[in-house]
Amino acid sequence: MSTMAAVQQLEPVPPPARPQSINGTAHTISIDMGAAAPPLTADISIGSGPQRGDTRTVVIMYGHGQDKIVAIFAEVLGKPYRLGGSFKEVAREDTDLVVGITADSAKADITTRDKTSVIAINAHCASLGMPPDVYLSSHCDYEFLYTEAPFFRRDLSRFISHTLGQINHHETLMAKPRTYFISTTFPDVRAALPNIDILTVGSDAVEIRVDLLKEPLGDGSFSAIPSLSYVGEQVMLLRQRTELPIIFTTRCTRENGKFPMDNPDLYYEYLYRAIQWGVEYIDIELWLPETIRKKLYEQRGNSRIMSAFHDFSGTFKWPSKQAESIFLESRRYADIVKMIAIINDHNENFELEYFRSKIRAEYPDSPPLSAVNMGETGQFSRTLNKVFTPITHPLLPIIAAPGQLSAAEINQALALLGQLPKKDIYGISSPATRSATPQAPFYEKCFNELGLPHHFAVVERQPKGPGCIETWCNQRNFGGAYLNPAVSFTSLTASGGFFSSLNGGAGPVLSEAARLIGMVDTIVVRPNSPSSSSSAPSSIPSSPPRQQNGDSFGPYPPAQFGLPHNTSLVLDNASWKGILSTLTRDLAPSAYFGRAAVVLASSADDAASALFALKALKVGKVYTVGFRTPPALAKDLIVEPFNSLESLQRARMVGSNGAVPGAGFGSPFVVVSALGPDKSNLVGMLVRVFGSRGSGNTRKVFLDLADGSAPRRGDPGLIAEQSGFAAYGAADVTAFTMVETLRLLVGQNVPYSFVRLASGRALF
C-alpha cells in the first residue's frame, strides 16, 4: 500500500471546531439573492430527507406487563399515547395518538380493523420467550421484536422510521456512485457481532443468509430449516448491533444455498415475515411462482425487493435472448434486479458489460441492475458492477459465493486498472485548531481498511485569504478536502482567483446545503459528464495560476499544478447531516415535525448547519439567541429571537402540545447550543428554563456542539439530563459528520459505529 500515515498512533477523533470565516473571525452569512449564483447541483441536496410518511393511527399490541413499550413508541414518534381496550374503540380522533392494546384484547378484533386508518404493530419482548403469538404475527401489519435488557431505543427508532416511510434508505443508497453489501455467513449471527463494526466497513447493507443459519435442538443436532422464531431473534440481534440496512435472503439449494425448493409457500411465509419485521431489503428468487413474487411485491410496504437470479450451469450467456428475458421478467416485481452467473472465459466479463449498457440504454426506467460473474474468472466483473456488489471479509468463516472479493480487494483492483487513481486528500485546518487532536490517523485507518490508494495529509491554511486553499485544490492529483473550521463560500469566491474561474467564470458548483448554510466544510472532486465537457467551455484556466500574496506552494513543484480539465469541484456541507443523524438516532423524524426549537450561537455562521438540519426535520418554529437568522434560512420557517426576558417567559409558558391559543408549536422541544465552552453557564441556565415542565411522556432533546475536551464551567449536558432532556454532544455529531464526509470524498460507507470505535469510544 502506498498510503502514508501522518501520525503512527491512532488518536481519538476531535470534535468539530466552531465555524469561523477565512480570516479566523466570525463571519455573518451574506447571500445576495439577486447576484449571479454559482451552479447548484441537482443531486446533492436534502434529497431523500425526512418525510411525513404513513399518517395512519399507530396501534401497539403488547404483552402482559409490557405497557411501557407503548410509551416508548409514543416518545420516539413524538406523540402522546393512551391505552385502549380494543381495535373497535380506535377512532379518527386518535390520529395524533399512539394507542396501546393488550395482546389478549387485540386477538378479539384485529381482523376487523380499518386498515385504511390504523396500522397495527405487534410489539413482542423476546426476553419473555419466543415465538410471539402466532395469530397476532400473521394478522398484524408489522412486528417489533425487542429485549428488555439491554433495550436499544435506536433500534426502535430505526424500525418505526422505516416502516412508516419517514426515512428512505433506498433512495439515498441508489444516489451513490457505488454500493456494496456484505453477507453474514455465520450459522449464528452472535458470532459476527463482536466484529460487526470492522466487518461492515465499506458496506452499505448487511445480508443475513437465513438458509445458512443453524438452529440448535435439544439433542445436540440442528433443525433442517431454522424456525421463524429463531430467524426473528437473529434479525433482532443483528439490527441491534448495526445501523446498516439489512438484506433478508433465503437462498435455495439450486442457487448455492440450503433452503429446500419443494415448498414455495415456505418462502412466502419467511419473506413476508421479514417485511413485517421491517427489514429494508427482501431477496426474492426468480424461480418462485409469479403469484408469490407479485404478492410480496404488492405487500412490501417500505421494504425494497431484490429479484435474484443465479446460474451455476456454466452455459448461461449474457448476449443471449434468455438473459434479456430474465431481466424483463425480474423487473416486473422488483426494486433492484440481481443477475449472477458462473462463466468459463474472461471475455464473458466484457459480454456482461455490453449487456449492462444495453439494458441501461433500452430500458432506462427499469430498476437498477446488479450483475456480476462468479468464480475467479468472473472477479473482474465485480470491479465494474456499481449496484450492490456482494463482498466478503477475511473475518467471515466462508464466502457466500465463489469469487467474492472484499471491498479492499475491489478497490485495490480498481487502482491497478487505473480506475481508482491515487489522489491527495487534505484536512484543511487553521491556526485556531492547531492544538486539536489529529484526524490523519483515523482517515489513514479508513483508507487502509478500504484498500484505497489515496494519500491523506492535514495542512494548515493561512488566515489572510483563500489563496492557500486554492493552491491545494488546483493540483493535478487533488482528490478533495474537508475544512475544519468551515469557510464561508463567499470568502472562497470573493478574491476572483481560482475558485471564481471555475465553470467558465460562474464559480464552483454548490450543493443546496452549502448555498443555504453559506459555509463550506467539504470540497468534492467530480468528473465532468462527456456531454457537458464537449459543449461547455473549460472550467479550468489553461495555465497554472501564478503565486499570489506570498502564498507558498508547499512541497509540490509547479508541474503538479492544474486541476484536470475533465473534473469539477463541488462545495458542500456535511456538518448538517451529522446534526440531523444525531437528532434522529433515538427519535423518529416525526418527533420534530411542527415542534419548536431553541438555537444558541454567537454568530449566524455557527448556527447555520443546525438551522438547516432543523429545517429538514420540518421544525415549525425556532427561537434564536445571540445571532440574526439569514433570510435564506428563515424562509418557510417561523423565527423569533429572544430579545427580552418577557419573550423567553412567553416561550416557556406555552404548553407542550400548543395549549396556549394561537401558539400551535408548543414549548421548545429541542435546544441546540453552538456556543463555546466559555458560555457553559449561560447554556445551563437556558436548559433549566426549558426543562421538561408540562412535556407529558416525551423527553426533550439537548444538543451541545461545544468542544467537550475544552475547559468549561459546568456541564450543560449533565444539567440537561437532570432537567429531563436526552443530551447529545459534539462527539456524536463529529462521528456522524465523518461518515458523511467520507461518503462525499471517497464514495464509500464507513459506519458510525466504526468511527466511534476507531476514535477510542465504542458505541456498544
Side-chain angles (χ1 to χ4, degrees):
M1 290 294 298
S2 59
T3 314
M4 298 175 60
V7 181
Q8 296 300 318
Q9 183 178 350
L10 188 64
E11 301 282 354
V13 177
R18 295 168 60 235
Q20 293 179 314
S21 69
I22 196 74
N23 60 10
T25 59
H27 188 289
T28 304
I29 299 176
S30 175
I31 301 180
D32 183 1
M33 304 306 288
L40 178 68
T41 59
D43 55 339
I44 303 181
S45 64
I46 294 178
S48 55
Q51 305 296 323
R52 297 196 178 276
D54 196 328
T55 57
R56 290 179 292 171
T57 302
V58 175
V59 175
I60 306 299
M61 300 174 285
Y62 61 93
H64 179 70
Q66 294 294 308
D67 54 293
K68 57 183 174 292
I69 192 65
V70 181
I72 298 174
F73 263 97
E75 184 175 343
V76 169
L77 287 170
K79 295 184 176 184
Y81 74 96
R82 71 170 180 85
L83 301 180
S86 63
F87 277 98
K88 65 182 179 183
E89 296 178 14
V90 179
R92 294 197 177 274
E93 295 76 40
D94 295 320
T95 300
D96 295 325
L97 299 176
V98 171
V99 179
I101 301 177
T102 64
D104 290 338
S105 299
K107 284 192 285 188
D109 61 353
I110 185 174
T111 57
T112 62
R113 73 187 186 279
D114 181 3
K115 294 184 178 181
T116 63
S117 61
V118 170
I119 180 167
I121 299 176
N122 185 32
H124 177 76
C125 179
S127 307
L128 301 181
M130 292 286 284
D133 184 279
V134 176
Y135 185 78
L136 291 181
S137 294
S138 60
H139 290 94
C140 66
D141 294 299
Y142 295 103
E143 186 169 75
F144 179 68
L145 304 177
Y146 65 97
T147 53
E148 279 189 299
F151 179 79
F152 296 94
R153 185 180 294 263
R154 61 183 169 274
D155 180 22
L156 193 157
S157 173
R158 170 182 163 187
F159 167 85
I160 200 69
S161 298
H162 166 71
T163 53
L164 295 186
Q166 294 185 16
I167 291 179
N168 189 334
H169 296 284
H170 181 66
E171 185 178 326
T172 302
L173 290 180
M174 291 303 100
K176 289 187 61 181
R178 282 179 179 268
T179 47
Y180 301 95
F181 74 88
I182 191 165
S183 179
T184 56
T185 53
F186 293 92
D188 185 336
V189 298
R190 291 178 182 89
L193 299 184
N195 294 314
I196 197 72
D197 302 327
I198 297 174
L199 283 171
T200 53
V201 172
S203 295
D204 297 284
V206 56
E207 179 185 44
I208 181 168
R209 281 287 299 269
V210 176
D211 57 297
L212 297 181
L213 296 176
K214 299 177 70 174
E215 180 181 8
L217 301 177
D219 59 1
S221 62
F222 297 94
S223 174
I225 301 173
S227 67
L228 275 172
S229 173
Y230 183 75
V231 173
E233 189 175 13
Q234 294 277 297
V235 170
M236 175 192 71
L237 292 171
L238 181 59
R239 185 163 53 196
Q240 287 177 346
R241 288 300 302 270
T242 178
E243 73 263 28
L244 296 183
I246 294 175
I247 302 172
F248 187 94
T249 300
T250 52
R251 188 68 66 233
C252 71
T253 52
R254 189 178 67 190
E255 300 193 4
N256 203 39
K258 294 189 176 182
F259 231 63
M261 301 179 63
D262 55 350
N263 183 11
D265 290 335
L266 186 68
Y267 286 81
Y268 173 80
E269 185 179 0
Y270 279 69
L271 296 171
Y272 178 62
R273 190 60 56 86
I275 294 174
Q276 291 179 300
W277 289 330
V279 175
E280 289 83 358
Y281 289 95
I282 314 297
D283 182 295
I284 302 178
E285 294 174 335
L286 185 61
W287 69 270
L288 287 169
E290 181 183 351
T291 53
I292 290 180
R293 292 186 287 117
K294 183 175 185 289
K295 190 174 182 180
L296 286 168
Y297 183 77
E298 293 171 345
Q299 295 176 324
R300 72 191 188 283
N302 292 300
S303 298
R304 293 295 178 262
I305 304 299
M306 298 176 67
S307 177
F309 167 81
H310 296 76
D311 190 288
F312 285 84
S313 67
T315 60
F316 180 84
K317 300 298 178 185
W318 291 105
S320 66
K321 286 289 185 182
Q322 178 198 11
E324 185 173 0
S325 64
I326 287 172
F327 173 82
L328 294 177
E329 177 61 29
S330 298
R331 72 169 185 165
R332 295 176 62 196
Y333 309 115
D335 299 290
I336 295 176
V337 174
K338 184 166 68 170
M339 297 177 64
I340 299 178
I342 200 159
I343 60 172
N344 304 300
D345 185 89
H346 179 70
N347 288 327
E348 293 179 76
N349 290 311
F350 299 104
E351 293 176 350
L352 167 55
E353 293 317 302
Y354 176 77
F355 175 81
R356 199 191 311 274
S357 62
K358 179 174 182 283
I359 292 298
R360 191 184 303 117
E362 297 184 5
Y363 308 102
D365 298 326
S366 289
L369 171 64
S370 173
V372 299
N373 290 321
M374 288 181 287
E376 187 175 345
T377 308
Q379 287 181 331
F380 177 67
S381 68
R382 296 180 184 271
T383 67
L384 301 177
N385 182 61
K386 295 183 178 181
V387 178
F388 271 145
T389 302
I391 58 175
T392 186
H393 194 280
L395 293 177
L396 289 175
I398 60 172
I399 59 173
Q404 273 191 1
L405 301 169
S406 67
E409 289 172 328
I410 290 177
N411 287 328
Q412 290 164 358
L414 288 170
L416 289 173
L417 293 168
Q419 300 302 304
L420 185 61
K422 178 181 177 181
K423 296 292 183 180
D424 295 320
I425 297 178
Y426 297 100
I428 301 177
S429 64
S430 71
T433 58
R434 185 180 300 163
S435 60
T437 307
Q439 295 188 0
F442 171 76
Y443 278 87
E444 292 294 339
K445 183 173 179 62
C446 289
F447 289 178
N448 282 322
E449 285 287 337
L450 293 166
L452 297 173
H454 309 315
H455 172 265
F456 180 83
V458 175
V459 292
E460 187 176 298
R461 61 176 173 82
Q462 300 302 312
K464 56 188 173 182
C468 54
I469 299 179
E470 294 183 341
T471 300
W472 289 313
C473 294
N474 192 21
Q475 293 184 45
R476 192 178 309 281
N477 293 326
F478 178 66
Y482 74 78
L483 291 83
N484 184 15
V487 175
S488 164
F489 77 75
T490 55
S491 298
L492 287 176
T493 57
S495 65
F498 165 70
F499 285 117
S500 299
S501 69
L502 296 173
N503 291 303
V509 179
L510 282 177
S511 71
E512 179 184 7
R515 182 194 292 274
L516 292 178
I517 294 171
M519 304 295 289
V520 174
D521 61 21
T522 312
I523 301 176
V524 184
V525 178
R526 286 200 165 184
N528 290 327
S529 62
S531 58
S532 63
S533 61
S534 60
S535 59
S538 173
S539 61
I540 310 299
S542 58
S543 60
R546 295 183 178 181
Q547 188 169 339
Q548 297 177 354
N549 301 326
D551 288 320
S552 171
F553 288 153
Y556 302 98
Q560 284 191 271
F561 277 83
L563 192 69
H565 289 252
N566 61 344
T567 59
S568 60
L569 298 184
V570 178
L571 306 186
D572 209 336
N573 185 290
S575 298
W576 80 272
K577 278 281 187 74
I579 295 171
L580 179 75
S581 297
T582 300
L583 293 176
T584 54
R585 180 187 164 202
D586 298 318
L587 293 173
S590 62
Y592 298 91
F593 292 171
R595 305 294 282 272
V598 176
V599 178
L600 300 86
S602 58
S603 73
D605 285 355
D606 291 359
S609 293
L611 287 170
F612 192 76
L614 292 171
K615 196 170 182 177
L617 285 170
K618 300 176 175 59
V619 165
K621 184 173 185 177
V622 175
Y623 297 97
T624 62
V625 179
F627 67 96
R628 184 177 179 180
T629 306
L633 282 172
K635 185 180 179 183
D636 302 323
L637 188 66
I638 299 176
V639 178
E640 180 180 329
F642 281 148
N643 48 23
S644 66
L645 289 175
E646 289 76 14
S647 61
L648 188 149
Q649 186 68 13
R650 282 198 307 272
R652 181 172 178 266
M653 294 305 294
V654 174
S656 63
N657 298 314
V660 173
F665 305 105
S667 63
F669 170 71
V670 54
V671 177
V672 180
S673 172
L675 293 173
D678 57 322
K679 300 291 196 309
S680 295
N681 285 341
L682 172 62
V683 177
M685 181 195 73
L686 283 171
V687 165
R688 285 193 182 95
V689 168
F690 293 111
S692 294
R693 175 184 175 276
S695 61
N697 66 293
T698 303
R699 293 178 71 200
K700 296 186 176 184
V701 176
F702 172 66
L703 175 59
D704 188 3
L705 299 177
D707 184 352
S709 63
R712 59 168 62 194
R713 298 177 182 177
D715 184 351
L718 180 61
I719 295 172
E721 290 179 348
Q722 294 171 345
S723 303
F725 285 82
Y728 302 91
D732 297 296
V733 176
T734 300
F736 278 121
T737 300
M738 280 190 164
V739 172
E740 179 66 11
T741 301
L742 282 163
R743 186 189 71 80
L744 291 171
L745 292 178
V746 298
Q748 309 233 352
N749 184 56
V750 177
Y752 166 83
S753 55
F754 179 80
V755 175
R756 296 305 299 266
L757 177 70
S759 63
R761 180 181 170 186
L763 174 61
F764 301 99

